[in-house]
Amino acid sequence: MRADRLVSLVLLLRQHGRLSAVALARELEVSTRTVLRDIEALSSAGVPVYAERGRHGGFALLPGFRTELTGLNHDEALALLIAGSRRGAQAFGLGSALASAMLKVVDALPESYRDTAAGAAERLLIDPETDLLSRRLVAEEVPDTVVAEVRRAVLAGHKLRIHYAAVDQSPKWRTVDPIGLVTVRDQGYLLATRSGEDRTYRLSRVLAAQELAEPAQRPDRVDLDRAWQERSTRFRTGGDQVTVLLRVNPARREDLLGTALAVRAEEADSDGWLRMEVAFQDSRHAEWALWQLSTNAEALSPQWLRDSLRNRATALATRYGVSP
């Protein structure tokens, strides 16, 4: 365990340049005293670690220091093999590269690790193509040439021209400053800014892309997870949202939460059902969600939603009220 921790300590210093003993202890989940002992052990082993004193001091490696730290323990190799089974890389056009990398990882493992890690990986499955109801989870198809161009612009920090087909609009060329790529349930998204305004583009709607030589106007560092959360929140609270007052069977509450944007109020009725105030993206979303719940939910308002559901149910009853 200590050898693994020493390797992790060196990797942290290579990645961050300089870290305090407190920061290293937090990253390695050990005490600062343990960090100091590890630093001393590395120095004794010839690793050029030095201390910088002062308010912004800490520990760092001598500039230019490099060493081969390719050893993987069993759990690390297993984690990589399991990661290689995910389809998310397909959304970024890296599926073949990931498969090739997994082969190299397996080939580089000691023989004792190779068999046990590969065997364990066969017993763990992440995101299969169908769920328990045999519903196929289809990943969106994005041409490799398109996603490769987008990826190059994102990683190089260059402006990007995309021929984008927004919903219910004719495709248009637009120039954006790419920030990062996100994949959610096998759907890829480009986070960017355009004329200083945040924009989110679905990769499957990018018909063509061209990396430009001009540098993108964007911050040097980005917290992509936080950026995605902020945009998701704005998406849920914007647009043509509708609020529905409804009653739902408690047994189907989780199904409702899986489709709704937000629950703004909730209380139990006298008969055990739940009375809830729920937000949906638009009228079509609200009607679809309530229809899925059949008789396990009742829309109380707005009236147009009750009318729409009644008309749909009447049409269905009429269809099946006659012999084929």
Side-chain angles (χ1 to χ4, degrees), residues 141-313:
E141 295 293 333
V142 183
D144 289 343
T145 54
V146 170
V147 73
E149 197 76 5
V150 172
R151 187 177 69 245
R152 281 195 294 267
V154 169
L155 299 181
H158 292 165
K159 287 184 178 292
L160 178 70
R161 288 187 74 229
I162 56 175
H163 196 215
Y164 191 73
V167 178
D168 298 328
Q169 295 182 23
S170 300
K172 296 180 181 178
W173 283 98
R174 57 200 75 190
T175 300
V176 302
D177 295 296
I179 293 175
L181 290 166
V182 176
T183 178
V184 180
R185 297 187 182 91
D186 291 335
Q187 296 177 354
Y189 297 88
L190 167 67
L191 273 58
T193 60
R194 186 180 176 208
S195 301
E197 298 292 331
D198 287 345
R199 294 288 186 269
T200 302
Y201 301 101
R202 197 157 169 169
L203 288 181
S204 60
R205 294 177 183 153
V206 179
L207 307 180
Q210 178 185 3
E211 178 191 3
L212 304 180
E214 183 181 355
Q217 299 298 313
R218 66 181 192 180
D220 294 333
R221 302 292 298 273
V222 61
D223 185 339
L224 206 56
D225 184 64
R226 180 176 179 180
W228 177 255
Q229 293 296 332
E230 291 174 349
R231 295 184 186 209
S232 298
T233 300
R234 287 199 297 269
F235 176 80
R236 291 193 301 269
T237 57
D240 301 322
Q241 280 192 27
V242 297
T243 299
V244 176
L245 179 63
L246 57 84
R247 282 167 32 89
V248 64
N249 185 332
R252 300 298 300 275
R253 178 180 182 273
E254 293 304 317
D255 294 330
L256 175 65
L257 297 185
T259 60
L261 291 182
V263 175
R264 294 174 177 165
E266 179 177 353
E267 61 181 4
D269 260 354
S270 58
D271 61 357
W273 276 39
L274 300 174
R275 183 178 291 256
M276 305 174 68
E277 185 177 323
V278 180
F280 295 98
Q281 188 60 40
D282 52 31
S283 58
R284 293 175 60 187
H285 181 200
E287 181 178 348
W288 175 86
L290 269 294
W291 184 258
Q292 306 308 306
L293 297 175
S294 184
T295 57
N296 287 293
E298 178 189 3
L300 303 178
S301 67
Q303 186 60 43
W304 62 260
L305 180 56
R306 290 180 59 86
D307 294 341
S308 180
L309 291 169
R310 183 187 64 248
N311 294 339
R312 176 182 282 202

Side-chain angles (χ1 to χ4, degrees), residues 106-129:
V106 173
D107 185 67
L109 290 174
E111 187 173 353
S112 59
Y113 283 173
R114 188 182 308 159
D115 295 337
T116 56
E122 292 177 353
R123 299 183 182 275
L124 301 174
L125 176 63
I126 299 175
D127 289 342
E129 292 187 357

